[in-house]
Amino acid sequence: MEKKTLHIVSSLSIKAVVRVGLDELDIYPEISYLPINFSFGYIPKDFSDKELCFALASHNQMEAFDQLKDFVTTVYSQYEKVIVWHGWSAQELLMLYMMSVLTYDNLYHIDVTTCADIMKKHGSLPYLDMSYICPGDIKDFSMLSLAKKVMGIEKTKYINQWNHWKASTKPYRFSSAETGIIEEYPADFMDDTIIKYAKEGRVLGALMVKVFEDFDNLFISDSIILKRICELYWEHKLDFTVSIRNN
């Protein structure tokens, strides 16, 4: 039986992008996405049910247990190629590092930052990951040709990176826009900035934009900023009634 190719991405929305992009090339492989974002919350120390539950609980995402369990218990050796699509975001890099542990000798990756045409198209951005890729890019820029096998020293490096980050004790992990290197941050590292702009009377949308701008050297998604704003509100450290009345 001919072995197939499996593509791995970091979210359901990116799965749709890759699916449509490959459809335009008349290629119809299996595509799977990791149902948890390891750039924040708890990283499982192993792939036991207990550790998976700890990770999902830190995201208030327990309903995704079966999906995450299926992801980590997939027999990846059944595929000729397992191709991870990623850029420099911590979310995608940590997924790549984890896949280095879950696979044997059939792991490949497509690093979108190595595509000169993509980098030229998005030259004004301080960073790049799969969230900026559209289906047409996959065909127009021959992105499948970027697939590179992960082996030897590189594979060992990625496994070591996973072993390092699964021991992370801080809740946030973001990569630098300048280097792509991941660093960890404490729970309150953006609190002063959030509270500062809230006191200036910023409504929610403007507040998120200002926080994002102040940390544009890090890859921080708007959903993570919103999550922290909500936590501060629930902890009674932030009062949006003031912000709303002043606008």
Side-chain angles (χ1 to χ4, degrees), residues 99-165:
M99 290 307 303
S100 297
V101 175
L102 294 176
T103 57
Y104 180 54
D105 61 354
N106 58 343
L107 181 63
Y108 292 71
H109 68 128
I110 293 177
D111 181 352
V112 297
T113 67
T114 64
C115 179
D117 291 322
I118 287 288
M119 297 301 291
K120 182 178 180 180
K121 177 180 177 181
H122 297 290
S124 62
L125 294 173
Y127 51 76
L128 187 65
D129 76 344
M130 284 297 296
S131 66
Y132 292 98
I133 304 302
C134 67
D137 293 338
I138 294 173
K139 179 179 180 180
D140 294 344
F141 302 140
S142 303
M143 293 186 69
L144 277 179
S145 67
L146 299 174
K148 175 186 174 184
K149 189 167 186 177
V150 179
M151 56 185 179
I153 295 174
E154 185 179 27
K155 184 85 171 339
T156 299
K157 173 186 173 182
Y158 292 164
I159 291 173
N160 289 339
Q161 282 291 310
W162 177 254
N163 289 333
H164 169 77
W165 287 112

Side-chain angles (χ1 to χ4, degrees), residues 38 43-45 47 88-90 92-101 150 152-168 173-176 179-184:
F38 288 131
I43 295 182
K45 303 299 183 287
F47 301 118
W88 271 10
S89 70
E92 293 177 349
L93 289 174
L94 289 166
M95 176 183 66
L96 172 64
Y97 301 155
M98 185 183 73
M99 290 307 303
S100 297
V101 175
V150 179
I153 295 174
E154 185 179 27
K155 184 85 171 339
T156 299
K157 173 186 173 182
Y158 292 164
I159 291 173
N160 289 339
Q161 282 291 310
W162 177 254
N163 289 333
H164 169 77
W165 287 112
K166 73 181 184 181
S168 174
R173 294 161 287 275
F174 302 119
S175 51
S176 164
T179 65
I181 295 173
I182 302 173
E183 293 187 12
E184 60 181 0

